[in-house]
Amino acid sequence: MDLYSGYINKLIEELSALPGIGIKSAQRLAFYLINQPVENVQRLTDTINQARSTVRYCSECYTLTDREKCPICSNTARNHETIMVVENPRDLAAYEKTGKYDGVYHVLHGAISPMLGIGPQDIKLKELIHRLEGDVKEVIIATNSSLEGETTAMYISKLIKPVGIKVSRIASGVPVGGDLENIDEMTLLRALEGRVEL
Ligand code: ZN
């Protein structure tokens, strides 16, 4: 990596630390940025800074938003008694795209993975339990069908069932290990409609 000047090396290093960006892509991006007009690069860095400093977790469902409450949680027309639990904001977006779900969400920001050392305390689980003190009739667990997603679903259902709230799991029409965001809307809808009570 000593082929280029220190600043180029530093830029490549920073870019390659981003998820999904290998060293080759990082080099390509770095050279692309260097060749852009200064104001374009400025706009990009401004946007990143603005997003980073204003985007935060919704105080209710923990999705990303730039307000205290996200548009879904602030929408009184939504059914606030049904909470769909998803692993990340991208999964929420996938279900929103179907346009057929009128409940609210809870974003865990991860899944339990003993292998990776991610425990229940590392995801937004106690925040979910806290929400159940309100008026909640059903919790739909829509974590991925990966080992981690299933482990998390089991854990949540064991936690919630004694409280007397209906707990259901989306149907297993969703391919094993498939990220929810890569699944088409029809499959998601079928998974939601075919959910089974745990
Ligand atoms: Zn929200």
Side-chain angles (χ1 to χ4, degrees):
M1 290 313 292
D2 291 313
L3 297 170
Y4 316 117
S5 83
Y7 285 118
I8 289 273
N9 280 340
K10 182 100 181 76
L11 181 57
I12 294 171
E13 198 182 300
E14 291 285 347
L15 289 169
S16 66
L18 298 173
I21 307 287
I23 199 79
K24 273 189 183 162
S25 303
Q27 286 184 24
R28 203 163 47 235
L29 287 170
F31 294 136
Y32 172 81
L33 290 169
I34 296 297
N35 287 310
Q36 288 295 300
V38 170
E39 53 278 18
N40 289 17
V41 177
Q42 188 64 51
R43 201 170 53 232
L44 175 63
T45 53
D46 286 351
T47 307
I48 293 173
N49 280 326
Q50 265 162 8
R52 183 58 190 90
S53 56
T54 55
V55 175
R56 50 179 158 159
Y57 291 149
C58 167
S59 62
E60 239 173 85
C61 73
Y62 292 86
T63 194
L64 297 172
T65 178
D66 45 16
R67 280 175 283 174
E68 211 238 321
K69 265 191 205 182
C70 75
I72 298 169
C73 289
S74 356
N75 185 348
T76 49
R78 306 276 302 216
N79 170 8
H80 288 250
E81 293 178 333
T82 302
I83 299 178
M84 187 195 290
V85 180
V86 292
E87 290 184 22
N88 56 57
R90 289 169 318 198
D91 294 343
L92 180 157
Y95 270 103
E96 268 314 274
K97 269 213 316 234
T98 68
K100 293 271 160 51
Y101 175 68
D102 72 340
V104 291
Y105 297 89
H106 187 86
V107 182
L108 293 171
H109 291 279
I112 298 169
S113 170
M115 271 212 343
L116 297 173
I118 301 168
Q121 71 286 351
D122 298 315
I123 56 177
K124 302 280 177 208
L125 206 54
K126 58 175 188 312
E127 289 82 353
L128 171 65
I129 303 306
H130 179 70
R131 288 179 75 184
L132 302 183
E133 290 164 15
D135 224 348
V136 177
K137 292 212 164 59
E138 183 179 3
V139 172
I140 303 169
I141 307 176
T143 51
N144 291 342
S145 52
S146 60
L147 179 62
E148 292 78 16
E150 292 298 346
T151 307
T152 309
M154 289 289 282
Y155 189 91
I156 295 175
S157 92
K158 277 194 190 137
L159 217 57
I160 298 181
K161 271 180 82 172
V163 186
I165 295 170
K166 182 178 171 189
V167 186
S168 56
R169 175 85 172 111
I170 54 165
S172 48
V174 179
V176 173
D179 273 6
L180 285 181
E181 59 172 331
N182 294 328
I183 294 161
D184 70 272
E185 288 159 33
M186 271 318 291
T187 310
L188 277 184
L189 266 184
R190 271 202 302 272
L192 179 58
E193 279 160 6
R195 66 183 182 272
V196 282
E197 194 165 342
L198 295 174

